[in-house]
Structure formats: C-alpha cells, structure tokens
C-alpha cells in the first residue's frame, strides 16, 4: 500500500525531559491509525512533529515522501485538530470555515461540510454560545473542509455524547473509505477499537507495539482492552 507517513527513530526533548525516544511508526493510505497512551506519553508531541509545529531532535519524518524539516508544502494536503480548537468567537460556523478556506486559498461547499458534522441547526449562532461537543464538531469541520489527504486528530471524541461519537466514527470510516488517511488519539479504548485499522501504543517515549486491530481481536477477544492497558502502563505483553 502507498506509504503516507514514515516516522523513523525520532527523538524529542524539552529541557531535561525526554518525551520521545527512538519512536517509529508508519501510516498507509486510507487507514485509520490510532495512538494510545497515558497522559504525557507523547501523543500530542508526535502529532505536532508531523504538522511541523515542532522539530525533532533526531530521526526522520516523511509525509507524502517529503522531509518535514526541509519543507512545509505538504501541509496543504493535511487537516488537523490538535488539543482544544479555537475559533473567532463572535462568528458562526460558516463564517469561521470561510475564513479558514480564504487563508488556505481554497474553495469548498461549506454548508455541506457543516451538515456532515451535524451542525446544520446552529444557523447564525456565534461560536461563543457553542457547547464543548459543538466546538469539537466545528473543529472537525475545519480540519476536513479543504478535503485533505491526511487527517490528524487529537482527542476528536472529547466532549461528544454517545450519538455524536457514533456519528464521528461513521464520518472517519467514510473518509478512510474515500482514501483519506486518519491519525487520531483517544482515551476511549472501546471506540478506538471500533474505528481503527491499526493501533500504536506509546509508552516510554516510543511506540511500544503497533498492531492490526482485526488480528489482535482474534487473539485476545474480550481481553484486548486489558492487554492494551498493560502496554500503556509499560508492562510486558
């Protein structure tokens, strides 16, 4: 399959704190890949490295075959939502998305994207009146409005109710079926298992294990979550 992301032996420290150490992972076209790890394991740092928001201290990161240290041209084909999304609070959903498109110098059917993420009924309501879940939906809309080839989402299901989580899962699976590569992090292990093709468990600064969800479900059955938690804790398999 076509390789979209290749991370090889990257290291990243902040002062005396080493967050990533010899961390490696790969993403293939059209797959949903989830990163699992405890708070502070390095999930967000890894995503920021892929987006060029931070630079690795060592190792290499290729996105669409481009070295991220040498160029940022690949970013036009990447959509992202990292940490808590911020918006122009006095504007509505459509106005926020239009500004984002203007910045990217791209065009899109904004009303269709708003409908796709379940915000059609918000109308002209300013974002300042949005709930946490509504903000998450708008963050997803902004990430996909320009039809990216790679989607990077940090905790996209945060603040969503069960119905919205189901709709988010369906949206991500539909995007993947259309050829979009999705990288996400989440603390909801059960939902990650429902949406992911592969999972990378990060512990001790590196991907401790990378596996096919389908294969691990066959191997561990109802004990798979217990197995994943043991990996997140840094315990032996």
């Amino acid at each position: 399959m076509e390789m979209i992301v290749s991370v090889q032996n990257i290291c990243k420290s902040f002062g005396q704190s080493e967050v990533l150490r010899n961390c490696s992972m790969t993403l293939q076209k059209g797959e949903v890949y989830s990163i699992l790890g405890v708070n502070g394991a390095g999930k967000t740092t890894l995503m920021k490295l892929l987006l060029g928001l931070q630079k690795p201290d060592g190792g290499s990161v290729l996105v669409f075959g481009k070295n991220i240290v040498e160029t940022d041209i690949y970013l036009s084909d990447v959509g992202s939502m990292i940490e808590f999304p911020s918006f122009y609070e006095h504007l509505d959903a459509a106005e926020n998305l239009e500004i984002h498109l203007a910045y990217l110098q791209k065009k899109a059917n904004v009303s269709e994207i708003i409908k796709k993420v379940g915000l059609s009924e918000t109308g002209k309501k300013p974002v300042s009146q949005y709930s946490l879940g509504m903000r998450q939906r708008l963050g997803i809309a902004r990430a996909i409005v320009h039809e990216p080839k790679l989607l990077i989402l940090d905790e996209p299901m945060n603040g969503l109710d069960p119905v919205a989580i189901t709709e988010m899962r369906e949206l991500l699976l539909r995007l993947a079926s259309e050829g979009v590569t999705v990288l996400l992090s989440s603390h909801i292990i059960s939902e990650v298992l429902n949406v992911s093709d592969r999972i990378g468990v990060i512990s001790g600064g590196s991907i401790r294990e990378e596996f096919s969800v389908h294969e691990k479900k066959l191997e561990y059955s109802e004990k798979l979550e217990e197995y994943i938690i043991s990996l997140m804790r840094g315990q032996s398999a």
Side-chain angles (χ1 to χ4, degrees), residues 33 199-202 206-211 216 227 231 237:
Y33 185 111
I199 288 175
V201 179
I202 188 168
S206 63
I207 298 296
R208 183 173 179 82
E209 186 169 338
E210 189 177 65
F211 56 81
K216 275 292 188 281
Y227 171 75
L231 291 176

Side-chain angles (χ1 to χ4, degrees), residues 23-219:
C23 184
S24 300
M25 64 181 289
T26 59
L27 274 70
Q28 299 171 342
K29 181 178 180 179
E31 76 169 338
V32 179
Y33 185 111
S34 294
I35 304 174
L36 290 174
V38 299
N39 288 335
K43 301 185 298 297
T44 300
T45 297
L46 179 55
M47 289 182 163
K48 286 183 175 180
L49 287 171
L50 293 178
L51 291 167
L53 298 175
Q54 296 171 352
K55 301 298 182 184
D57 298 328
S60 66
V61 181
L62 301 180
V63 180
F64 306 124
K66 306 292 185 181
N67 188 326
I68 66 158
V69 175
E70 299 174 353
T71 181
D72 62 1
I73 192 172
Y74 69 95
L75 290 175
S76 62
D77 287 321
V78 179
S80 66
M81 185 176 73
I82 301 296
E83 298 178 328
F84 191 74
S86 59
F87 307 98
Y88 294 99
E89 296 288 320
H90 63 292
L91 301 180
D92 61 34
E95 290 169 331
N96 269 276
L97 295 182
E98 291 288 2
I99 289 175
H100 186 63
L101 285 168
Y103 172 76
L104 296 175
Q105 297 184 326
K106 293 192 175 185
K107 295 182 178 181
N109 187 333
V110 171
S111 61
E112 183 62 31
I113 295 298
I114 290 175
K115 179 180 178 181
K116 183 178 289 188
V117 299
L119 289 176
S120 296
E121 297 182 1
T122 59
K124 292 294 183 178
K125 178 186 292 187
V127 174
S128 61
Q129 298 179 22
Y130 278 23
S131 66
L132 174 59
M134 292 166 68
R135 287 174 175 269
Q136 287 295 99
R137 290 170 183 257
L138 184 54
I140 297 296
R142 186 169 62 188
I144 67 174
V145 69
H146 61 295
E147 298 183 345
K149 297 177 182 177
L150 171 63
L151 189 57
I152 299 176
L153 305 173
D154 191 12
E155 298 289 343
M157 299 168 190
N158 184 35
L160 300 183
D161 58 42
V163 172
I165 287 176
T166 298
E167 293 173 347
M168 180 67 68
R169 179 205 315 154
E170 294 171 347
L171 173 59
L172 296 179
L173 290 174
R174 183 163 66 251
L175 290 169
S177 71
E178 295 170 355
V180 178
T181 301
V182 181
L183 173 65
L184 63 87
S185 69
S186 176
H187 286 112
I188 310 175
I189 297 178
S190 59
E191 193 53 46
V192 165
L193 292 175
N194 285 332
V195 76
S196 307
D197 295 297
R198 287 192 300 146
I199 288 175
V201 179
I202 188 168
S203 175
S206 63
I207 298 296
R208 183 173 179 82
E209 186 169 338
E210 189 177 65
F211 56 81
S212 159
V213 172
H214 176 69
E215 292 177 359
K216 275 292 188 281
K217 281 183 176 180
L218 292 177
E219 182 178 357

